[in-house]
Amino acid sequence: MLPFARVSIIGLGLIGSSIARAVRANMPTVALTGHDANPDVRARVTALGLCDDVADTAGAAVIDADLVILCVPVGAIADVAAQLAQDMPADAIISDVGSSKAGVLAALSAHFADRQIVPAHPVAGTEYSGPDAGFATLFKGRWCILTPPGDADPTAVMRVSIFWERLGAQIEIMDAKHHDLVLAVTSHLPHLIAYTIVGTASDLETVTESEVIKYSAGGFRDFTRIAASDPTMWRDVFLANKDAVLEMLQRFSEDLTVLQRAIRWGDGDALFDLFTRTRAVRRSVIEQGQDDERPDFGRTHE
Ligand code: NAP
Protein backbone atom coordinates (compact mmCIF):
# COMPACT_ATOMS: atom_id res chain seq x y z
CA MET A 1 0.00 0.00 0.00
CA LEU A 2 1.51 3.32 -1.11
CA PRO A 3 1.48 6.19 1.40
CA PHE A 4 0.68 8.78 -1.31
CA ALA A 5 -0.75 8.67 -4.83
CA ARG A 6 0.08 12.21 -6.07
CA VAL A 7 3.31 13.84 -5.00
CA SER A 8 4.36 17.38 -5.89
CA ILE A 9 8.01 18.49 -5.69
CA ILE A 10 8.82 22.21 -5.61
CA GLY A 11 12.50 22.85 -6.42
CA LEU A 12 13.97 20.30 -8.82
CA GLY A 13 17.70 20.52 -8.08
CA LEU A 14 19.91 17.86 -6.51
CA ILE A 15 17.48 16.79 -3.77
CA GLY A 16 14.17 17.40 -5.61
CA SER A 17 15.29 15.53 -8.73
CA SER A 18 16.73 12.70 -6.61
CA ILE A 19 13.34 12.32 -4.89
CA ALA A 20 11.65 12.26 -8.32
CA ARG A 21 14.07 9.60 -9.59
CA ALA A 22 13.71 7.54 -6.39
CA VAL A 23 9.90 7.74 -6.55
CA ARG A 24 10.00 6.58 -10.19
CA ALA A 25 12.29 3.69 -9.21
CA ASN A 26 10.48 2.58 -6.06
CA MET A 27 6.85 3.72 -6.42
CA PRO A 28 6.32 3.88 -10.20
CA THR A 29 2.54 4.31 -10.01
CA VAL A 30 2.79 7.55 -8.02
CA ALA A 31 1.84 10.61 -10.12
CA LEU A 32 4.62 13.21 -9.92
CA THR A 33 4.22 16.91 -10.58
CA GLY A 34 6.99 19.45 -10.17
CA HIS A 35 7.87 23.11 -10.32
CA ASP A 36 11.07 25.11 -10.18
CA ALA A 37 11.43 28.89 -10.31
CA ASN A 38 14.22 28.50 -12.86
CA PRO A 39 12.81 27.97 -16.41
CA ASP A 40 16.04 26.22 -17.50
CA VAL A 41 15.58 23.70 -14.70
CA ARG A 42 11.94 23.15 -15.69
CA ALA A 43 13.01 22.52 -19.30
CA ARG A 44 15.74 20.11 -18.21
CA VAL A 45 13.42 18.13 -15.92
CA THR A 46 10.88 17.90 -18.74
CA ALA A 47 13.59 16.66 -21.14
CA LEU A 48 14.76 14.08 -18.58
CA GLY A 49 11.15 12.94 -18.04
CA LEU A 50 11.52 13.05 -14.25
CA CYS A 51 7.92 14.21 -13.59
CA ASP A 52 4.58 13.48 -15.25
CA ASP A 53 3.95 17.19 -15.36
CA VAL A 54 6.19 20.24 -14.82
CA ALA A 55 4.09 23.30 -13.98
CA ASP A 56 5.02 26.94 -14.60
CA THR A 57 3.82 28.03 -11.15
CA ALA A 58 4.06 26.49 -7.68
CA GLY A 59 0.28 26.77 -7.24
CA ALA A 60 -0.46 24.82 -10.42
CA ALA A 61 1.95 22.07 -9.37
CA VAL A 62 0.16 21.30 -6.08
CA ILE A 63 -3.48 21.57 -7.11
CA ASP A 64 -4.32 17.85 -6.71
CA ALA A 65 -1.33 16.64 -4.66
CA ASP A 66 -1.63 14.59 -1.49
CA LEU A 67 2.00 15.25 -0.53
CA VAL A 68 3.89 18.47 -1.30
CA ILE A 69 7.66 18.55 -0.70
CA LEU A 70 9.52 21.86 -0.79
CA CYS A 71 13.08 21.22 -2.04
CA VAL A 72 14.25 24.84 -2.29
CA PRO A 73 16.97 26.62 -0.25
CA VAL A 74 15.68 27.23 3.31
CA GLY A 75 15.69 31.00 2.75
CA ALA A 76 13.08 30.55 -0.04
CA ILE A 77 10.68 28.30 1.93
CA ALA A 78 8.46 31.08 3.36
CA ASP A 79 8.12 32.62 -0.09
CA VAL A 80 7.20 29.34 -1.78
CA ALA A 81 4.79 28.44 1.02
CA ALA A 82 2.98 31.75 0.47
CA GLN A 83 2.79 31.08 -3.28
CA LEU A 84 1.09 27.71 -3.01
CA ALA A 85 -0.84 27.68 0.30
CA GLN A 86 -4.14 28.71 -1.37
CA ASP A 87 -3.88 26.05 -4.07
CA MET A 88 -2.87 23.04 -1.98
CA PRO A 89 -5.80 20.69 -1.13
CA ALA A 90 -6.89 20.97 2.51
CA ASP A 91 -6.08 17.32 3.25
CA ALA A 92 -2.64 17.32 1.60
CA ILE A 93 0.46 17.06 3.78
CA ILE A 94 3.13 19.76 3.46
CA SER A 95 6.77 18.73 3.89
CA ASP A 96 10.25 19.92 2.93
CA VAL A 97 13.87 18.75 2.91
CA GLY A 98 15.60 21.80 4.41
CA SER A 99 18.90 21.36 6.24
CA SER A 100 17.78 23.44 9.24
CA LYS A 101 14.39 22.89 10.80
CA ALA A 102 13.20 25.31 13.54
CA GLY A 103 12.93 28.28 11.14
CA VAL A 104 11.33 26.12 8.47
CA LEU A 105 8.69 24.84 10.89
CA ALA A 106 7.86 28.42 11.91
CA ALA A 107 7.60 29.50 8.25
CA LEU A 108 5.37 26.55 7.34
CA SER A 109 3.20 26.98 10.46
CA ALA A 110 2.51 30.60 9.44
CA HIS A 111 1.03 29.49 6.10
CA PHE A 112 -0.42 26.03 6.88
CA ALA A 113 -1.93 26.52 10.35
CA ASP A 114 -4.87 24.21 9.58
CA ARG A 115 -2.93 21.52 7.64
CA GLN A 116 -0.64 18.65 8.50
CA ILE A 117 3.00 19.76 8.51
CA VAL A 118 5.70 17.06 8.54
CA PRO A 119 9.12 18.62 7.85
CA ALA A 120 11.94 16.27 6.87
CA HIS A 121 15.70 16.40 6.42
CA PRO A 122 17.32 13.60 4.43
CA VAL A 123 20.91 13.54 5.69
CA ALA A 124 22.26 12.75 2.25
CA GLY A 125 23.75 14.87 -0.47
CA THR A 126 26.73 15.72 -2.60
CA GLU A 127 28.64 18.89 -3.45
CA TYR A 128 26.81 19.13 -6.79
CA SER A 129 23.60 21.05 -7.57
CA GLY A 130 20.87 21.00 -10.16
CA PRO A 131 18.65 18.34 -11.79
CA ASP A 132 21.51 16.53 -13.55
CA ALA A 133 23.28 15.96 -10.22
CA GLY A 134 20.43 13.88 -8.74
CA PHE A 135 20.30 10.08 -8.60
CA ALA A 136 17.73 7.52 -7.45
CA THR A 137 19.86 5.86 -4.75
CA LEU A 138 20.93 9.05 -2.95
CA PHE A 139 18.82 8.24 0.12
CA LYS A 140 19.59 4.52 0.32
CA GLY A 141 20.87 3.62 3.79
CA ARG A 142 20.94 7.29 4.86
CA TRP A 143 18.96 8.79 7.75
CA CYS A 144 15.94 10.98 7.14
CA ILE A 145 15.06 13.07 10.22
CA LEU A 146 11.41 14.11 10.59
CA THR A 147 10.65 17.11 12.82
CA PRO A 148 6.84 17.27 13.10
CA PRO A 149 5.28 19.78 15.51
CA GLY A 150 4.06 18.30 18.83
CA ASP A 151 0.42 18.30 17.69
CA ALA A 152 1.00 16.58 14.33
CA ASP A 153 -1.38 13.77 13.39
CA PRO A 154 0.52 10.46 13.97
CA THR A 155 -1.00 9.06 10.75
CA ALA A 156 0.48 11.93 8.72
CA VAL A 157 3.89 11.34 10.34
CA MET A 158 3.59 7.61 9.64
CA ARG A 159 2.73 8.20 5.95
CA VAL A 160 5.73 10.50 5.46
CA SER A 161 7.92 7.94 7.28
CA ILE A 162 6.75 5.16 4.94
CA PHE A 163 7.36 7.43 1.93
CA TRP A 164 11.03 7.95 2.90
CA GLU A 165 11.49 4.30 3.82
CA ARG A 166 10.31 3.41 0.33
CA LEU A 167 13.08 5.67 -1.02
CA GLY A 168 15.58 3.62 1.02
CA ALA A 169 16.04 5.90 4.03
CA GLN A 170 15.97 5.10 7.75
CA ILE A 171 13.72 7.32 9.87
CA GLU A 172 14.43 9.25 13.05
CA ILE A 173 11.90 11.59 14.64
CA MET A 174 13.25 14.63 16.49
CA ASP A 175 12.27 17.99 17.89
CA ALA A 176 13.21 20.73 15.36
CA LYS A 177 15.45 22.61 17.81
CA HIS A 178 17.32 19.46 18.78
CA HIS A 179 17.77 18.64 15.09
CA ASP A 180 19.37 22.05 14.55
CA LEU A 181 21.84 21.51 17.40
CA VAL A 182 22.81 18.01 16.22
CA LEU A 183 23.23 19.11 12.60
CA ALA A 184 25.15 22.23 13.66
CA VAL A 185 27.95 19.95 14.87
CA THR A 186 27.68 17.09 12.36
CA SER A 187 27.12 19.15 9.21
CA HIS A 188 27.05 22.92 9.52
CA LEU A 189 30.28 23.38 11.52
CA PRO A 190 32.27 21.00 9.25
CA HIS A 191 31.10 23.02 6.26
CA LEU A 192 32.09 26.29 7.96
CA ILE A 193 35.53 24.88 8.79
CA ALA A 194 36.01 23.64 5.22
CA TYR A 195 34.94 26.98 3.77
CA THR A 196 37.40 28.70 6.14
CA ILE A 197 40.40 26.46 5.41
CA VAL A 198 39.93 26.65 1.66
CA GLY A 199 39.43 30.43 1.90
CA THR A 200 42.54 30.84 4.09
CA ALA A 201 44.68 28.76 1.74
CA SER A 202 43.56 30.71 -1.30
CA ASP A 203 44.34 34.03 0.47
CA LEU A 204 47.94 33.11 1.38
CA GLU A 205 50.66 35.21 -0.14
CA THR A 206 53.77 33.22 0.76
CA VAL A 207 52.37 29.96 -0.63
CA THR A 208 51.07 30.25 -4.16
CA GLU A 209 47.66 28.99 -5.17
CA SER A 210 49.26 26.60 -7.63
CA GLU A 211 51.26 25.03 -4.77
CA VAL A 212 48.06 24.65 -2.71
CA ILE A 213 46.41 22.79 -5.58
CA LYS A 214 49.53 20.78 -6.50
CA TYR A 215 50.06 19.36 -3.01
CA SER A 216 46.38 19.12 -2.05
CA ALA A 217 46.52 15.31 -1.65
CA GLY A 218 48.15 15.97 1.73
CA GLY A 219 44.66 16.57 3.17
CA PHE A 220 43.49 19.89 1.73
CA ARG A 221 41.59 18.29 -1.17
CA ASP A 222 39.20 16.50 1.21
CA PHE A 223 38.10 19.91 2.52
CA THR A 224 37.66 21.24 -1.03
CA ARG A 225 34.87 18.72 -1.69
CA ILE A 226 32.79 20.13 1.16
CA ALA A 227 33.79 23.72 0.37
CA ALA A 228 32.47 23.23 -3.19
CA SER A 229 28.91 22.87 -1.85
CA ASP A 230 26.17 25.14 -3.15
CA PRO A 231 26.72 28.78 -2.01
CA THR A 232 23.01 29.70 -1.91
CA MET A 233 22.03 26.64 0.07
CA TRP A 234 24.81 27.12 2.64
CA ARG A 235 24.38 30.87 3.00
CA ASP A 236 20.75 30.16 3.91
CA VAL A 237 21.62 27.32 6.34
CA PHE A 238 24.00 29.54 8.37
CA LEU A 239 21.55 32.42 8.49
CA ALA A 240 18.66 30.12 9.47
CA ASN A 241 20.56 28.09 12.08
CA LYS A 242 22.45 31.04 13.55
CA ASP A 243 22.05 30.25 17.28
CA ALA A 244 23.05 26.58 17.15
CA VAL A 245 25.97 27.26 14.78
CA LEU A 246 27.30 30.08 16.97
CA GLU A 247 27.07 27.84 20.05
CA MET A 248 29.01 25.03 18.35
CA LEU A 249 31.51 27.50 16.92
CA GLN A 250 32.21 28.82 20.43
CA ARG A 251 32.95 25.30 21.67
CA PHE A 252 35.09 24.60 18.62
CA SER A 253 37.12 27.80 19.18
CA GLU A 254 37.75 26.78 22.81
CA ASP A 255 38.92 23.31 21.73
CA LEU A 256 41.13 24.86 19.06
CA THR A 257 42.74 27.05 21.71
CA VAL A 258 43.45 23.96 23.82
CA LEU A 259 45.19 22.34 20.83
CA GLN A 260 47.09 25.54 20.11
CA ARG A 261 48.40 25.51 23.69
CA ALA A 262 49.34 21.80 23.46
CA ILE A 263 51.40 22.49 20.33
CA ARG A 264 53.00 25.60 21.84
CA TRP A 265 54.03 23.73 25.03
CA GLY A 266 55.05 20.55 23.26
CA ASP A 267 52.32 18.53 24.99
CA GLY A 268 52.50 15.48 22.71
CA ASP A 269 50.34 13.36 25.03
CA ALA A 270 47.39 15.74 24.68
CA LEU A 271 47.69 15.63 20.88
CA PHE A 272 48.11 11.85 20.83
CA ASP A 273 45.09 11.29 23.11
CA LEU A 274 42.82 13.46 20.99
CA PHE A 275 43.96 11.90 17.71
CA THR A 276 43.34 8.42 19.17
CA ARG A 277 39.80 9.39 20.16
CA THR A 278 39.06 10.88 16.75
CA ARG A 279 40.33 7.77 14.98
CA ALA A 280 37.74 5.75 16.93
CA VAL A 281 34.99 8.10 15.70
CA ARG A 282 35.99 7.33 12.09
CA ARG A 283 35.73 3.60 12.87
CA SER A 284 32.19 4.08 14.25
CA VAL A 285 31.11 6.01 11.12
CA ILE A 286 32.25 3.06 8.97
CA GLU A 287 30.80 0.41 11.30
CA GLN A 288 27.40 2.13 11.17
CA GLY A 289 27.42 2.08 7.34
CA GLN A 290 27.73 5.86 6.94
CA ASP A 291 30.89 5.71 4.81
CA ASP A 292 33.03 3.51 2.61
CA GLU A 293 35.56 1.43 4.56
CA ARG A 294 38.11 1.46 1.75
CA PRO A 295 41.20 3.58 2.45
CA ASP A 296 41.22 7.17 1.20
CA PHE A 297 37.43 7.17 0.60
CA GLY A 298 37.82 4.35 -1.95
CA ARG A 299 39.88 6.42 -4.41
CA THR A 300 41.72 4.23 -6.87
CA HIS A 301 45.52 4.43 -6.80
CA GLU A 302 46.36 2.70 -10.05
P1 NAP B 1 19.77 22.85 -5.69
O1 NAP B 1 20.38 21.70 -6.43
O2 NAP B 1 20.37 24.21 -5.87
O3 NAP B 1 18.20 22.91 -6.04
C1 NAP B 1 17.33 23.90 -5.56
C2 NAP B 1 16.40 24.28 -6.69
O4 NAP B 1 15.36 25.14 -6.15
C3 NAP B 1 17.10 25.09 -7.80
O5 NAP B 1 16.75 24.59 -9.06
C4 NAP B 1 16.57 26.50 -7.58
O6 NAP B 1 16.54 27.28 -8.75
C5 NAP B 1 15.17 26.21 -7.06
N1 NAP B 1 14.58 27.34 -6.38
C6 NAP B 1 15.16 28.32 -5.67
N2 NAP B 1 14.25 29.17 -5.18
C7 NAP B 1 13.04 28.72 -5.62
C8 NAP B 1 11.71 29.19 -5.46
N3 NAP B 1 11.44 30.29 -4.77
N4 NAP B 1 10.70 28.48 -6.06
C9 NAP B 1 10.97 27.35 -6.77
N5 NAP B 1 12.22 26.88 -6.96
C10 NAP B 1 13.24 27.56 -6.38
O7 NAP B 1 19.76 22.61 -4.11
P2 NAP B 1 19.61 21.22 -3.31
O8 NAP B 1 20.96 20.74 -2.93
O9 NAP B 1 18.66 20.32 -4.01
O10 NAP B 1 18.94 21.77 -1.96
C11 NAP B 1 17.55 21.92 -1.82
C12 NAP B 1 17.17 21.84 -0.35
O11 NAP B 1 17.63 20.58 0.16
C13 NAP B 1 17.78 22.92 0.54
O12 NAP B 1 16.82 23.37 1.47
C14 NAP B 1 18.88 22.19 1.29
O13 NAP B 1 19.09 22.75 2.57
C15 NAP B 1 18.32 20.78 1.38
N6 NAP B 1 19.32 19.69 1.47
C16 NAP B 1 20.43 19.73 0.66
C17 NAP B 1 21.36 18.72 0.77
C18 NAP B 1 22.62 18.72 -0.09
O14 NAP B 1 23.60 18.05 0.24
N7 NAP B 1 22.65 19.44 -1.19
C19 NAP B 1 21.15 17.63 1.65
C20 NAP B 1 19.98 17.61 2.42
C21 NAP B 1 19.07 18.65 2.32
P3 NAP B 1 17.90 28.02 -9.26
O15 NAP B 1 18.52 27.09 -10.24
O16 NAP B 1 17.42 29.29 -9.88
O17 NAP B 1 18.75 28.28 -8.08
Side-chain angles (χ1 to χ4, degrees):
M1 174 75 178
L2 293 173
F4 300 100
R6 294 175 308 281
V7 173
S8 175
I9 302 169
I10 310 297
L12 293 161
L14 169 70
I15 302 294
S17 76
S18 293
I19 295 174
R21 288 176 170 97
V23 167
R24 283 273 198 252
N26 299 293
M27 294 178 273
T29 58
V30 167
L32 272 177
T33 57
H35 166 73
D36 194 287
N38 184 335
D40 294 339
V41 172
R42 296 202 295 273
R44 186 66 188 139
V45 169
T46 305
L48 290 168
L50 298 181
C51 293
D52 298 300
D53 185 33
V54 179
D56 286 343
T57 65
V62 303
I63 212 116
D64 63 356
D66 51 13
L67 172 67
V68 175
I69 313 174
L70 308 185
C71 303
V72 298
V74 288
I77 288 213
D79 224 31
V80 176
Q83 283 173 42
L84 58 77
Q86 296 296 325
D87 297 298
M88 194 178 99
D91 57 354
I93 294 172
I94 180 83
S95 186
D96 76 302
V97 294
S99 305
S100 68
K101 302 273 38 134
V104 166
L105 182 57
L108 293 180
S109 302
H111 292 282
F112 300 96
D114 49 352
R115 326 275 182 93
Q116 286 304 316
I117 306 170
V118 186
H121 176 201
V123 187
T126 75
E127 65 277 30
Y128 293 99
S129 311
D132 285 291
F135 51 100
T137 53
L138 178 63
F139 311 111
K140 205 164 164 232
R142 300 277 88 88
W143 286 97
C144 183
I145 303 172
L146 306 186
T147 58
D151 60 355
D153 174 6
T155 308
V157 177
M158 192 182 69
R159 289 172 70 197
V160 176
S161 299
I162 294 170
F163 176 82
W164 280 101
E165 281 169 356
R166 293 291 288 253
L167 304 191
Q170 311 177 70
I171 304 300
E172 186 82 49
I173 295 177
M174 229 180 249
D175 169 71
K177 277 208 145 133
H178 185 65
H179 165 280
D180 287 356
L181 208 56
V182 172
L183 270 291
V185 71
T186 57
S187 174
H188 307 169
L189 191 59
H191 276 79
L192 200 67
I193 292 167
Y195 282 126
T196 312
I197 290 178
V198 176
T200 303
S202 67
D203 284 345
L204 289 176
E205 282 151 14
T206 45
V207 179
T208 64
E209 196 166 319
S210 67
E211 285 174 310
V212 169
I213 310 284
K214 188 169 164 188
Y215 303 118
S216 62
F220 181 72
R221 71 177 180 192
D222 291 341
F223 287 98
T224 62
R225 184 192 74 75
I226 297 182
S229 300
D230 192 75
T232 306
M233 170 190 158
W234 282 99
R235 175 201 63 197
D236 285 7
V237 168
F238 290 118
L239 297 180
N241 200 19
K242 177 177 160 182
D243 294 344
V245 169
L246 289 179
E247 186 179 328
M248 289 304 165
L249 200 53
Q250 178 61 32
R251 295 182 71 125
F252 175 75
S253 309
E254 289 164 15
D255 291 345
L256 199 59
T257 305
V258 169
L259 274 190
Q260 207 175 350
R261 187 172 302 131
I263 293 170
R264 189 183 307 286
W265 295 104
D267 186 353
D269 288 349
L271 298 177
F272 187 85
D273 288 350
L274 175 68
F275 302 165
T276 304
R277 272 200 291 133
T278 56
R279 198 172 219 194
V281 173
R282 174 70 189 163
R283 269 201 302 277
S284 304
V285 169
I286 292 165
E287 277 160 21
Q288 291 185 30
Q290 296 305 308
D291 205 357
D292 198 314
E293 69 178 337
R294 288 173 298 164
D296 201 16
F297 300 133
R299 289 180 180 116
T300 52
H301 294 274
E302 287 153 9

